[in-house]
Amino acid sequence: IPTVDETLEIPQLVFPAPANTGFQRVAYFPSYRSPAASAIGDATLNSLTVACYAIAPISSNYPVTLEQPERAKTLIQRCHAKGLKVVLSFNGTSATFKSMVSTRASRKIFIDSVMKLVDTYGFDGVDNDCEYPSAGDASAQGNMYLMKEQSQLLQRNIQKAL
């Protein structure tokens, strides 16, 4: 069973969450489906606030891969033209996820690969769609470290952009 290699420190948020003024309308768009207007109509996109490009799998040595990059580009272009945010959704097998979150080094490999995809393709953020974290095997704690470290990096990038 993997163990996490440090203790959790709750991060101080640099950017507080916005006031909850209503529900976000979110839809997942799988990489195997065409994002062309003939397949996903404007009415569908106009009804959303966030589109999730799904699913970027975590490989056994921890980088995330983007399936169907041309489809991702098309979806991002269409959504951004309508003012929608597009996030990259990732997941992996239970064993891969548990192993990836267990050490700072493996999380860094993962986070670096996610950030490269965010920067390369223009995603607005990421969605952790891993459904495996468990208190019984330390993967829940490792997932908290992952979210903390990724959040800090995203916030630093936002600050640099301002």
Side-chain angles (χ1 to χ4, degrees), residues 58 93-101 128 130 132-133 139 143 146:
I58 303 170
T93 66
S94 177
T96 300
F97 180 79
K98 288 174 187 177
S99 179
M100 182 271 291
V101 298
N128 180 342
C130 290
Y132 309 112
S139 61
N143 189 55
L146 174 67

Side-chain angles (χ1 to χ4, degrees), residues 82-103:
K82 296 183 172 303
L84 277 70
K85 301 288 185 192
V86 183
V87 297
L88 176 63
S89 296
F90 64 85
N91 76 7
T93 66
S94 177
T96 300
F97 180 79
K98 288 174 187 177
S99 179
M100 182 271 291
V101 298
S102 68
T103 70

